[in-house]
Amino acid sequence: MIRSTTIDRRSFVKAAGIGFLAALTPRSLMALERSDAVYASGIRAADGSFAIATVTERGEIVDQVALPARAHGMAFSAATGKTAAFARRPGTYAMIFDPRDKGQPIVISSREDRHFYGHGVFSPDGRILYASENDFDGNRGMIGIYDATDRFTRIGEFETYGIGPHDMTVSDDGRLLIVANGGIETHPDFGRTKLNLRAMQPSLVLIDAATGALIEKHVLPAEWSQLSTRHVDLDGDGRIWFACQYEGHRKDLPPLVGHFAKGEDLSFVELPEETTRRLANYVGAIAVNRSEGLVGITSPKGGASVTIDARTGKVLAETAIADAAGIAPAKEGFAVSSYDGDFLSTRSDVAWDQHIVRISQPTRA
């Protein structure tokens, strides 16, 4: 369970030390002092440059780390304090840095015959970084394995037993890798073009983190073969929540959110028809607030965020947010950003990217 978010800010400040704090502007220092939680998210600045911003729960930007190109998802290690930002598909870089430290980030590149799919996750002890990747000539999803104790040297890879892997996470005990295979074939020669929309193969898989062996594979029902499984998160009971993006007819009303656990079949949440229409067949991000038993989703296409009771699947709240982008657990409910520059109650002259990661939180337990 996640403790009070006040611990997030205090632990961030304590770990950062005098050198980092001394480099901040008075305005940033004040914003950090007033905040309960600290987050990181990709941004596009007004001049078109890209960065990762450290941001308070109010949406006040504290610090920025420049990026070589646009990023997408991020991973945070509670064990080491490291944050990894992954290039947007079909990008080939990932950048690892400590948001509490002004030290030089580490930038790694994918293998020549691979590209990153925009997401990754640290092992619970912070020693390994896993990244979703594409073997584009072999049309296979892969997990790149990087040694965080040796400047993130690539030390191996596992198959994802599907194509188009996107988001991934790891079980709290570190034994299982959980991957959302979106089922969409792509190749860098064709940019971001989706090459197999009539023959998609979406799935969710559980993989042995030690050996790479397939533990379980859940293929979506045939009637929803165009429902791309994109993002995942874990609740406090270890249940896996997943969110989807539909590539079929825009007038269809597919299920967009579901859950399962090891040894169980997939279960879809029966959202009200009005809610499904509002989401516009596209969930861009999902997050679990463990302490409150909530699941949050956003849809930039629908301009909305939705809060769901994790126990009952009931929709508790819907909020209209134009270009709703990232979502992450907050002290109460969720912190939500937008492509239009909004982060909760604050608007900045930036475009927030699609994902938010909360940093300086204790390891999940």
Side-chain angles (χ1 to χ4, degrees):
M1 180 178 294
I2 296 171
R3 302 178 204 164
S4 166
T5 51
T6 303
I7 300 298
D8 286 0
R9 189 261 299 167
R10 289 178 179 171
S11 63
F12 181 90
V13 171
K14 181 178 179 180
I18 294 175
F20 174 84
L21 298 177
L24 297 181
T25 66
R27 182 176 179 179
S28 293
L29 280 170
M30 182 177 295
L32 189 60
E33 179 61 30
R34 294 187 304 168
S35 178
D36 288 329
V38 183
Y39 300 91
S41 182
I43 59 171
R44 185 183 71 245
D47 63 2
S49 63
F50 296 98
I52 295 295
T54 304
V55 57
T56 72
E57 196 174 38
R58 294 180 177 85
E60 301 155 313
I61 295 175
V62 174
D63 195 26
Q64 297 183 34
V65 179
L67 290 171
R70 182 177 176 181
H72 184 70
M74 286 169 295
F76 172 72
S77 171
T80 67
K82 299 293 186 185
T83 298
F86 296 91
R88 184 175 186 245
R89 177 186 67 81
T92 57
Y93 85 89
M95 190 178 79
I96 302 95
F97 64 100
D98 189 330
R100 309 159 303 180
D101 187 350
K102 290 290 187 179
Q104 187 70 21
I106 296 173
V107 178
I108 60 174
S109 299
S110 59
R111 267 178 46 168
E112 186 175 343
D113 55 348
R114 304 282 188 268
H115 68 70
F116 292 119
Y117 256 120
H119 285 275
V121 65
F122 282 96
S123 60
D125 62 9
R127 298 176 64 85
I128 298 293
L129 177 65
Y130 303 100
S132 58
E133 299 180 0
N134 187 19
D135 171 8
F136 44 82
D137 288 331
N139 193 26
R140 297 183 302 163
M142 306 299 293
I143 299 170
I145 305 171
Y146 298 84
D147 185 353
T149 69
D150 185 22
R151 295 188 61 80
F152 295 89
T153 301
R154 196 177 199 276
I155 57 174
E157 62 181 21
F158 295 148
E159 289 192 45
T160 69
Y161 305 93
I163 63 175
H166 195 63
D167 198 8
M168 62 185 301
T169 190
V170 63
S171 60
D172 288 356
D173 61 11
R175 295 180 180 180
L176 290 178
L177 293 170
I178 301 138
V179 182
N181 285 312
I184 299 175
E185 179 183 355
T186 60
H187 193 287
D189 287 350
F190 299 93
R192 293 177 58 80
T193 302
K194 301 166 184 176
L195 302 175
N196 68 331
L197 293 185
R198 294 182 180 274
M200 289 172 54
Q201 302 172 38
S203 64
L204 293 140
V205 297
L206 304 182
I207 297 169
D208 188 305
T211 67
L214 178 65
I215 304 299
E216 291 181 5
K217 181 173 181 177
H218 299 267
V219 178
L220 267 64
E223 64 266 32
W224 299 124
S225 63
Q226 290 184 292
L227 191 60
S228 181
T229 45
R230 305 292 284 177
H231 297 105
V232 291
D233 201 1
L234 291 173
D235 69 18
D237 296 323
R239 179 162 295 278
I240 301 151
W241 287 80
F242 61 93
C244 306
Q245 298 168 11
Y246 189 54
E247 300 292 343
H249 197 283
R250 62 183 179 83
K251 291 186 178 180
D252 291 343
L253 292 175
L256 296 172
V257 181
H259 55 83
F260 72 104
K262 184 180 178 182
E264 294 182 3
D265 293 333
L266 303 182
S267 295
F268 287 102
V269 175
E270 294 185 11
L271 299 174
E273 181 175 322
E274 181 182 346
T275 302
T276 301
R277 292 187 185 281
R278 180 170 290 135
L279 292 170
N281 284 347
Y282 188 101
V283 176
I286 188 170
V288 172
N289 184 322
R290 291 189 177 191
S291 62
E292 294 191 304
L294 301 175
V295 177
I297 57 176
T298 56
S299 172
K301 291 188 176 182
S305 70
V306 177
T307 301
I308 300 167
D309 186 311
R311 183 178 60 85
T312 66
K314 180 181 178 182
V315 172
L316 301 178
E318 297 182 30
T319 305
I321 301 175
D323 295 317
I327 188 166
K331 185 175 184 180
E332 296 180 357
F334 297 96
V336 178
S337 64
S338 81
Y339 296 150
D340 201 32
D342 292 319
F343 196 114
L344 283 178
S345 59
T346 299
R347 171 164 287 200
S348 301
D349 189 19
V350 303
W352 296 100
D353 221 310
Q354 194 165 347
H355 296 286
I356 305 169
V357 64
R358 198 169 99 182
I359 58 179
S360 293
Q361 65 190 44
T363 301
R364 295 175 305 200

